[in-house]
Amino acid sequence: MKSRTDQLQHIKENNIDVLVIGGGINGAVSAAVLSAAGIRTALVEARDFAGFTSQNSSNLIWGGIKYLESFEFGLVRKLCRGRNRLLKAYPTSIVETRFIAAVGTRATHSRLAIWAGAWVYWLLGGGFTAIPRLLSRSRCAKEEPVSAIPELLGGVEYSDGVLREGDARFVLGFIKRATRCGCAAVNYTSVTSMKERVGRGWEVVLRDEQSGDSLTITPKAVINAAGPFVDRLNHQSGVETTHHHRFSKGIHLIVDRLTPSRRVLSFFARDGRPFFVIPIGNRTCIGTTDTLSRSPEAVIAEEDRQFVLDHINTHLNLKRALTRTDIIAERCGVRPLAVAHQDQTETTPFLELSRRHTIETDPERQIISIFGGKLTDCLSVGDEILREAAKLGFKGHPGDWFGEPPLASRESFCDQGEELLQDSEADIDLQRLWRAYGEGAIEILGRFARDRHQMELLLPGSDLTRGELEWVRENEMVVTLDDFLRRRSLLAMTFKAAELASMPGLKVVSRILFGASGDTCYNRWCEGAGLTPRQVEADDSGDRQQQKESQCKPIAHSSQGSPGG
Ligand SMILES: Cc1cc2nc3c(=O)[nH]c(=O)nc-3n(C[C@H](O)[C@H](O)[C@H](O)COP(=O)(O)OP(=O)(O)OC[C@H]3O[C@@H](n4cnc5c(N)ncnc54)[C@H](O)[C@@H]3O)c2cc1C
């Protein structure tokens, strides 16, 4: 991926056919499918890529077993198909995972009813996954000792998928793929206004949130993939749609590993909704909630936190109850739910609203708006966008726009990696590198081979190496330290912010990413996390000069060399 400056220059200098607004999952798949079909596409994202809803999901690629309760068989079948396609296309980063639905005396459904539901689910999923199992109380307690509370009656085991490297990295994968097909994609760049040029597309004003500069471009068509901001943007631009959004807030808490297995455990919350215990890296993610939010910018309330902690303490047999001090990190987002009419947005109880996505196309005004959606359904969204773009006159053949590199590349990477790391002290997880970077992992290995210094581990308790970080700096458009800790890696989900800040290696990380601005970026991140920046100088070979820059700027790079950290 070229630098931000190059991407912005590309947008300025080239005629763009389609401008995609929003770098969440819906925008990312739109950009990937259109550019792979040879359509001149650009994507702009006001924050970091996947910096809003798409970084706050449960990381599940699932067929939506809970929607069987509301008899939405069509939706479940569609989601199961989407899940199966993703499991096939991403064999290492999305893994079939066994879920155990633990059933207690207070559950809203009996164990047999859930078992029957799991079979219907399996059938709707075309029998793609391992078959469901009915678990007795003792079997459930033996396989998952944390589920053994006095009220436990037994459980049901079934399969769905989990994103091993997290939702944000999954989204970034599509954006990187789009750029390889010629799409210009840039983060921290907002659409501030849009005006229709009757019969000639749109005049769109962009603001570079880093420099404050504005830029006007004239794409022939626009895709509004602004997630929870779709209505706001349409309203500002005078675009009328049949569908609108309502928002459902959901939160997750990240805590230390609660069970050694990589299974997902599920329970029924007080309101009858399923509640999950999900592995994330080497931690556990617990949640979620589902409450009405009037605004896209939702924040975690104390009662949300308490709801999640109470549930986990009630449904798991833990050595001691979890409290606020056990929380490593928090995630909060709103689900943009598509509703058909303005009046429905006000009257229908929102827990009953369907979780389907809808795409509205206005061929006259040359604009497409995407409402709702799930990570799980992203390939369908991409397919539909290609069809809708054809209605606007942009015809292209579906290209190769998703999926992991071929198995043979992975095998060769693993062989080379194992040989290279044979006599290295560093305990580097090759599988993680492959899941996160695909063929980029081969380049990282090349760095290790050329210079063993590149295998230096930077943070205790993690296998982040200098070589990996330098590769990320040159290929993944990291603008702030939070981009790296929260969305390019799982580090912000693995360590408490204060713990990270106290690691001398974090300053080294920041200097490798941002060169002379490294300490400023580190201080900014600390301030953002409500911490006092650690004053000690890190013991590294990086630039220690007093920092004067006012912005976090990634250091310049060429595709040839790799400037030292
Ligand atoms: C708590 C929770 C749990 C979930 N769990 C799952 C799950 O396990 N599995 C699953 O499949 N789905 C799940 N979902 C649903 C899924 O995460 C969302 O539906 C999806 O991420 C929405 O993606 P999006 O691209 O529509 O929106 P977003 O990810 O919000 O992307 C829209 C982007 O547009 C940008 N933008 C807005 N305005 C502008 C502008 N003017 N200029 C430029 N950019 C702009 C925003 O910054 C934003 O990044 C969950 C959602 C939540 C909230």
Side-chain angles (χ1 to χ4, degrees), residues 12-304:
K12 206 187 290 183
E13 288 171 1
N14 290 277
N15 292 330
I16 304 291
D17 285 335
V18 181
L19 176 71
V20 178
I21 305 170
I25 188 64
N26 285 342
V29 293
S30 303
V33 74
L34 295 179
S35 48
I39 297 164
R40 282 174 304 185
T41 309
L43 177 148
V44 290
E45 165 53 56
R47 301 169 174 80
D48 185 23
F49 300 127
F52 205 67
T53 320
S54 299
Q55 65 170 345
N56 287 312
S57 80
S58 308
N59 285 320
L60 301 181
I61 297 299
W62 66 317
I65 191 168
K66 72 173 175 157
Y67 309 131
L68 289 179
E69 262 187 329
S70 45
F71 305 108
E72 291 186 84
F73 297 112
L75 173 63
V76 174
R77 194 171 147 76
K78 194 162 178 269
L79 287 174
C80 282
R81 281 194 187 154
R83 175 202 64 191
N84 298 350
R85 271 179 92 189
L86 286 172
L87 283 169
K88 256 196 258 175
Y90 294 86
T92 67
S93 51
I94 304 177
V95 280
E96 178 178 337
T97 301
R98 294 303 267 174
F99 284 51
I100 289 189
V103 187
T105 48
R106 281 176 289 180
T108 40
H109 303 285
S110 73
R111 194 168 61 109
L112 286 178
I114 296 171
W115 192 48
W119 274 103
V120 173
Y121 190 56
W122 182 79
L123 287 169
L124 288 171
F128 185 81
T129 55
I131 57 169
R133 274 197 314 154
L134 184 66
L135 305 177
S136 64
R137 184 188 195 287
S138 57
R139 170 62 51 195
C140 200
K142 187 160 178 241
E143 295 196 7
E144 280 299 343
V146 285
S147 70
I149 53 168
E151 295 86 355
L152 181 72
L153 297 173
V156 174
E157 191 185 61
Y158 65 96
S159 288
D160 262 321
V162 172
L163 285 162
R164 289 288 303 275
E165 297 305 317
D167 41 17
R169 183 154 275 290
F170 179 59
V171 171
L172 183 70
F174 287 103
I175 295 175
K176 284 166 66 176
R177 191 143 189 156
T179 61
R180 287 202 294 275
C181 295
C183 171
V186 62
N187 54 6
Y188 295 100
T189 302
S190 313
V191 168
T192 54
S193 71
M194 283 185 358
K195 210 164 66 199
E196 195 187 348
R197 302 162 75 221
V198 182
R200 289 180 303 142
W202 290 85
E203 182 179 284
V204 180
V205 181
L206 305 178
R207 185 177 55 226
D208 176 348
E209 299 294 346
Q210 288 296 294
S211 66
D213 294 344
S214 285
L215 162 70
T216 302
I217 58 168
T218 51
K220 293 186 186 132
V222 163
I223 296 184
N224 181 352
F229 301 95
V230 164
D231 288 325
R232 202 180 278 181
L233 195 61
N234 279 341
H235 182 70
Q236 273 171 15
S237 324
V239 175
E240 284 176 16
T241 53
T242 312
H243 288 83
H244 297 277
H245 275 143
R246 281 184 83 189
F247 307 123
S248 144
K249 179 169 80 164
I251 78 144
H252 293 93
L253 304 179
I254 313 296
V255 296
D256 254 334
R257 196 89 176 255
L258 296 180
T259 160
S261 83
R262 289 212 67 86
R263 284 197 196 90
V264 172
L265 305 183
S266 73
F267 312 92
F268 291 95
R270 271 197 297 270
D271 55 8
R273 297 196 66 253
F275 186 86
F276 295 106
V277 174
I278 306 161
I280 179 168
N282 55 4
R283 300 286 185 255
T284 295
C285 174
I286 51 178
T288 178
T289 56
D290 204 338
T291 51
L292 178 68
S293 172
R294 297 266 167 220
S295 141
E297 288 107 347
V299 289
I300 300 189
E302 191 48 44
E303 66 196 59
D304 298 324

Side-chain angles (χ1 to χ4, degrees), residues 51 65 104 139 234 247 298 325 346 374 401 455 457 475 532:
I65 191 168
R139 170 62 51 195
N234 279 341
F247 307 123
T325 55
E346 298 307 327
K374 291 193 147 288
W401 65 276
M455 285 194 230
L457 294 175
N475 292 282
T532 320

Side-chain angles (χ1 to χ4, degrees), residues 3 447 450-451 453-454 456 458 465-475 508-516 540-543 553-565:
S3 70
R447 285 167 188 261
R450 285 192 295 278
D451 174 7
H453 182 53
Q454 294 272 311
E456 176 194 349
L458 298 173
T465 56
R466 181 176 285 271
E468 175 181 347
L469 194 63
E470 288 186 3
W471 188 89
V472 168
R473 176 190 66 204
E474 288 160 29
N475 292 282
V508 181
V509 166
S510 195
R511 288 171 187 168
I512 292 175
L513 287 172
F514 308 110
D540 75 304
S541 56
D543 185 350
K553 292 198 184 93
I555 58 179
H557 66 263
S558 72
S559 53
Q560 304 296 314
S562 56

